Amino acid sequence: MTWIDFPLYSTNILILWCIGLLLLLLSYKKVALFKIANIVFITGWGILLVFVIKLWIELDRPPMRTLGETRLWYATFLPLVGYITFIRWRYKWFLGYSIAMACLFLIINYLHPETYSKTLMPALQSPWFIPHVLVYLFSYAVLAASSIVAIKGLIDYYKNRFDSETLKLADNLVYIGFSFLTLGLLFGALWAKEAWGHYWTWDPKEVWAFLTWMGYLIYIHYRYFYLHKSKQALSILAFAFIVLLICWFGVNYLPVSNTSVHTYTQ
Amino acid sequence: MSEPNTLIQRNLWETPWGYLESFFIGLGIIITGFFLEVFTGQTSSLTLTYPYNIYFLIIYIVLLYVAYKWFSSYQIIRWLTKVPASITSIVLVTTLVMVMGIIPQTTSDNAVINTLGLNRMTTNWAFLLTLFLFLSCLGLITIKRILQFRWSNTGFILNHLGLFMALLSGILGAGDVQRITIDTYEGKPNWIAKDIQNNPVELPFAFYLKDFLIEEYNPKLALVDNTSGSLVHNDGKNLYLITPKQQYNFNEFEVVIDEYLPSSGRVLNKYVSVNEVGSPPSAKLTIKDLVKDTIITGWVSSGSFRSPYESLKISDDYSIVMTIPEAKKFSSDIDILTKEGKRISTVLEVNKPFLFNGWKIYQLSYDDRMGKWSNLSVLELVKDPWLPAIYVGIFMMITGALYLFWVGNKITKK
């Protein structure tokens, strides 16, 4: 049972990533350290990947069913998002942020181990399962990143040192995240049609997935038409992320939750 | 497209209409919707069926086209094709869907929720009118971009037209969706299905269930609190899938599974392998109490519709139980018999429906009280004639999403 091994793996990864983060911070003064930081980050990520693969094999099903399992994917994707962003835009702080967030998700999983259940109900045994969930988690990771950009932007705004480049980064992340969000939503619809005969049933999770989609839709339209209203755009982006969080796990705490088929708490 | 000087004084309803007017129009639509809901709602829901939905579709699209082509000088049409109306209508739809996402969409005790129909949002007049406004904005803008076609508009058109088609076909097609279920028993042909209201529907073909099969996971072991009777959550580490010879730890207890029998019967003080209808799984356990240094051995069984379950008390506080096995896979080996005497064989499984005569046939459920011994299989038949249009819309949006991803790339390169 590889979840039992999780503390061992995650401790190693966390140690490596914390060293990496420290080196990253120091590299602002001494550039050469950045290379070492990268090696340390990537080693940690490799270990995490090994864990995910071993868990997948051990469970004999994709580890995407429980909330803990989705957090694991989140921790896997965030460094990836950080690196893709870094390769394109050279934001060191953003790389650091994404690794720090990944650490946070590992810690949450460390504190709340999930059940060892291997079972997967028949409706989830579909070729759509993996694309639907992976695409969604990747988009969540990217959109979470965009929201951090938004918060940084808002802070900068109040300190009167706002740079419109920040919003361009947010735009790029939102476009990428939103296209994946759309794919996840539509894959889910096609899957549901195959499994239950209806692509959209207004299940609470579906309602909130739709709201998340609408939230980012508002941001994209607002940005498209009002390029210079930075503060409002940043606020919309921060708000959209709250909706995303409700969709991801907040739904479980809402009065509507008991009518949902999308509960992955056990 | 920004407005550099927003401080120009303008009176309300003076052209061009902006956000304030949009807000009032939106508010008016919602109030109208709730009025309609209060006075006509509750019983009636707006569902169009063939051929009226086709008429509606044609008239609606022609009206949108005519409105854009010849009446775009009218303030209302101009407003509909401009940003404030788009953003307002997106926000309005979002707000009403948010109500749907917070208030459970079931019968409510709250008089306000009931009267305003906040618990039946999908058929609520306010929601339908708002959606109508949203679709009209979307439709007009799409027509505008198609008429002023440029290659750089491809992504825009794919996304907007795709959404317009998928939404409109979904809404208009809802009335034409037919969903019926049919109970099939092993060895008995059946051609009488039931609709949602349980009325019998005679089919032009019959179903003959040759065999219903269930594959199950092994059951799980769980700890129960003797006083409360509820499952004990050991940091989420309870509920172990039974694997023979496996050991697991719970607090001071070390549990080893000595023997597992998937199908068994109680004989005197133990279980033996038997293979009869209703013979439940059982397992022999050895539990070591590491604190008191005692050992308990005994049997647990999940029971079945025929045999009682058996738990094992391991201390004053705890007992071990075996949960009912979960289905891994269930499938029906069926023949479809037509009036012309044809016999079509297929195996239905969850996630693997079968298309026949315009019906999609799904494996829906079985007699879960009987579990794997069920000789009943419930099938669902769905006919959704508008589906191709919805799928075209969905695939346009998928292409549009990929385009968006690509454009997202391009912005970075600037």
Side-chain angles (χ1 to χ4, degrees):
Chain A
M1 290 210 175
T2 47
W3 267 120
I4 285 177
D5 303 329
F6 183 70
L8 176 74
Y9 278 83
S10 57
T11 313
N12 280 317
I13 300 164
L14 283 172
I15 292 171
L16 283 171
W17 283 356
C18 287
I19 296 171
L21 285 172
L22 194 70
L23 289 170
L24 183 80
L25 200 67
L26 293 173
S27 76
Y28 277 98
K29 293 236 166 74
K30 203 171 173 212
V31 182
L33 287 175
F34 187 60
K35 263 192 185 161
I36 308 170
N38 279 326
I39 295 167
V40 176
F41 282 148
I42 292 165
T43 315
W45 195 73
I47 297 174
L48 181 59
L49 208 61
V50 169
F51 179 77
V52 172
I53 293 165
K54 277 180 71 178
L55 184 69
W56 191 323
I57 295 167
E58 166 63 30
L59 287 174
D60 212 15
R61 62 167 175 84
M64 297 169 180
R65 195 186 139 203
T66 66
L67 215 50
E69 286 163 4
T70 64
R71 279 196 291 258
L72 190 67
W73 284 101
Y74 214 98
T76 315
F77 280 131
L78 274 167
L80 206 62
V81 175
Y83 268 103
I84 293 171
T85 320
F86 179 75
I87 290 164
R88 281 196 198 140
W89 298 287
R90 305 273 141 194
Y91 285 104
K92 260 197 214 174
W93 70 268
F94 187 77
L95 181 63
Y97 150 74
S98 57
I99 305 254
M101 282 292 277
C103 286
L104 182 72
F105 285 105
L106 287 182
I107 293 168
I108 297 174
N109 263 7
Y110 184 87
L111 299 174
H112 296 276
E114 294 289 318
T115 59
Y116 294 138
S117 172
K118 282 170 96 172
T119 57
L120 193 62
M121 59 192 259
L124 290 183
Q125 297 163 19
S126 159
W128 288 105
F129 184 31
I130 298 167
H132 171 66
V133 181
L134 278 190
V135 160
Y136 249 116
L137 287 170
F138 184 74
S139 87
Y140 280 9
V142 179
L143 292 173
S146 78
S147 74
I148 293 301
V149 176
I151 290 162
K152 184 185 184 292
L154 280 174
I155 294 169
D156 286 353
Y157 196 89
Y158 284 106
K159 289 187 175 168
N160 276 327
R161 53 164 200 223
F162 179 74
D163 177 3
S164 62
E165 284 299 309
T166 313
L167 261 177
K168 279 190 191 155
L169 172 63
D171 281 349
N172 281 301
L173 290 171
V174 168
Y175 268 79
I176 295 166
F178 184 76
S179 55
F180 274 82
L181 198 67
T182 310
L183 290 179
L185 195 86
L186 298 176
F187 286 176
L190 295 173
W191 174 9
K193 186 72 199 170
E194 277 305 283
W196 299 280
H198 215 303
Y199 41 84
W200 196 268
T201 53
W202 295 108
D203 173 274
K205 193 80 176 183
E206 293 172 9
V207 169
W208 282 95
F210 180 71
L211 285 171
T212 311
W213 192 77
M214 291 295 266
Y216 287 98
L217 200 69
I218 294 174
Y219 172 81
I220 289 175
H221 283 83
Y222 194 84
R223 274 293 287 161
Y224 189 79
F225 294 115
Y226 306 101
L227 210 50
H228 300 288
K229 292 193 177 174
S230 312
K231 196 180 130 195
Q232 288 87 336
L234 290 168
S235 313
I236 294 172
L237 194 51
F239 169 77
F241 188 60
I242 295 172
V243 179
L244 186 149
L245 288 179
I246 296 175
C247 177
W248 185 24
F249 50 80
V251 176
N252 295 346
Y253 304 101
L254 288 176
V256 291
S257 72
N258 48 13
T259 58
S260 174
V261 295
H262 279 88
T263 43
Y264 24 78
T265 42
Q266 52 157 301
Chain B
M1 282 257 209
S2 65
E3 292 154 40
N5 194 351
T6 44
L7 294 174
I8 293 171
Q9 285 295 315
R10 201 166 56 78
N11 291 322
L12 192 59
W13 302 113
E14 195 177 298
T15 57
W17 296 349
Y19 280 95
L20 203 56
E21 288 84 356
S22 304
F23 171 77
F24 278 113
I25 294 172
L27 196 69
I29 285 174
I30 288 187
I31 292 173
T32 314
F34 283 136
F35 261 106
L36 280 170
E37 195 60 34
V38 171
F39 293 112
T40 73
Q42 310 265 5
T43 49
S44 71
S45 70
L46 184 89
T47 354
L48 291 173
T49 51
Y50 180 81
Y52 302 103
N53 44 17
I54 296 273
Y55 298 156
F56 183 90
L57 179 78
I58 295 167
I59 294 168
Y60 182 53
I61 290 181
V62 168
L63 275 182
L64 284 181
Y65 181 80
V66 169
Y68 176 74
K69 196 81 180 156
W70 290 287
F71 294 90
S72 53
S73 58
Y74 280 63
Q75 184 48 37
I76 178 103
I77 304 301
R78 261 180 60 186
W79 170 73
L80 279 170
T81 56
K82 291 272 191 285
V83 194
S86 308
I87 292 188
T88 307
S89 68
I90 299 177
V91 171
L92 282 180
V93 171
T94 310
T95 314
L96 290 182
V97 175
M98 208 168 263
V99 172
M100 192 191 307
I102 293 166
I103 297 172
Q105 300 293 298
T106 46
T107 336
S108 170
D109 304 329
N110 188 314
V112 179
I113 291 177
N114 263 330
T115 319
L116 292 180
L118 299 179
N119 54 351
R120 40 169 197 280
M121 218 52 178
T122 49
T123 54
N124 192 302
W125 276 106
F127 182 64
L128 291 174
L129 290 177
T130 313
L131 216 52
F132 185 71
L133 174 73
F134 176 80
L135 274 173
S136 304
C137 285
L138 187 63
L140 282 171
I141 292 163
T142 312
I143 291 171
K144 181 176 167 185
R145 289 288 182 114
I146 292 175
L147 293 180
Q148 311 170 341
F149 185 79
R150 265 177 292 133
W151 281 108
S152 57
N153 274 341
T154 322
F156 182 99
I157 292 172
L158 282 172
N159 281 318
H160 290 76
L161 185 60
L163 180 62
F164 184 72
M165 279 184 69
L167 266 182
L168 192 59
S169 329
I171 296 165
L172 291 178
D176 287 341
V177 175
Q178 277 175 279
R179 264 172 187 294
I180 50 178
T181 57
I182 184 162
D183 293 344
T184 55
Y185 288 92
E186 272 173 4
K188 286 179 214 155
N190 189 9
W191 62 94
I192 309 289
K194 285 178 296 192
D195 65 11
I196 298 166
Q197 286 88 34
N198 257 331
N199 302 315
V201 179
E202 200 180 316
L203 294 172
F205 43 87
F207 287 99
Y208 180 83
L209 179 66
K210 286 187 282 189
D211 200 6
F212 177 70
L213 287 164
I214 289 196
E215 259 179 59
E216 285 174 335
Y217 286 105
N218 283 357
K220 292 169 186 166
L221 285 185
L223 270 123
V224 191
D225 188 312
N226 288 339
T227 40
S228 69
S230 58
L231 287 185
V232 180
H233 287 277
N234 173 25
D235 278 344
K237 285 184 204 157
N238 64 344
L239 289 171
Y240 284 77
L241 210 57
I242 290 179
T243 324
K245 306 294 170 203
Q246 181 86 36
Q247 177 198 320
Y248 77 88
N249 296 300
F250 175 78
N251 295 347
E252 70 267 34
F253 304 103
E254 199 178 273
V255 181
V256 179
I257 298 147
D258 297 323
E259 212 180 328
Y260 171 66
L261 305 172
S263 173
S264 62
R266 190 131 174 63
V267 177
L268 300 173
N269 58 347
K270 61 176 203 162
Y271 281 81
V272 291
S273 258
V274 284
N275 202 357
E276 280 169 19
V277 169
S279 9
S282 63
K284 190 183 175 202
L285 310 174
T286 302
I287 296 113
K288 202 192 261 178
D289 187 328
L290 299 174
V291 175
K292 292 188 194 144
D293 201 22
T294 52
I295 290 182
I296 300 164
T297 57
W299 288 84
V300 287
S301 168
S302 67
S304 71
F305 69 95
R306 193 165 266 182
S307 327
Y309 78 97
E310 185 165 349
S311 61
L312 181 62
K313 193 173 171 191
I314 56 169
S315 73
D316 291 340
D317 300 325
Y318 302 118
S319 292
I320 289 191
V321 294
M322 181 191 273
T323 62
I324 298 201
E326 289 171 48
K328 185 178 195 173
K329 191 174 144 178
F330 48 100
S331 56
S332 302
D333 191 355
I334 56 157
D335 280 347
I336 302 169
L337 314 171
T338 66
K339 282 194 172 151
E340 300 80 45
K342 273 201 274 180
R343 180 179 274 259
I344 298 118
S345 295
T346 184
V347 178
L348 291 177
E349 200 185 300
V350 180
N351 266 316
K352 285 172 191 155
F354 181 72
L355 193 66
F356 177 75
N357 266 9
W359 292 95
K360 252 200 171 177
I361 306 162
Y362 295 85
Q363 169 74 64
L364 188 67
S365 69
Y366 54 95
D367 183 348
D368 46 15
R369 202 181 60 87
M370 299 275 281
K372 66 175 168 185
W373 301 283
S374 171
N375 53 9
L376 160 74
S377 174
V378 185
L379 310 180
E380 186 177 37
L381 283 81
V382 181
K383 197 179 252 181
D384 195 348
W386 290 65
L387 195 64
I390 295 165
Y391 272 14
V392 170
I394 285 182
F395 282 106
M396 284 174 82
M397 284 170 77
I398 288 179
T399 323
L402 296 173
Y403 182 86
L404 209 64
F405 179 71
W406 182 64
V407 170
N409 255 343
K410 247 173 110 178
I411 296 173
T412 66
K413 285 175 189 154
K414 272 181 197 165

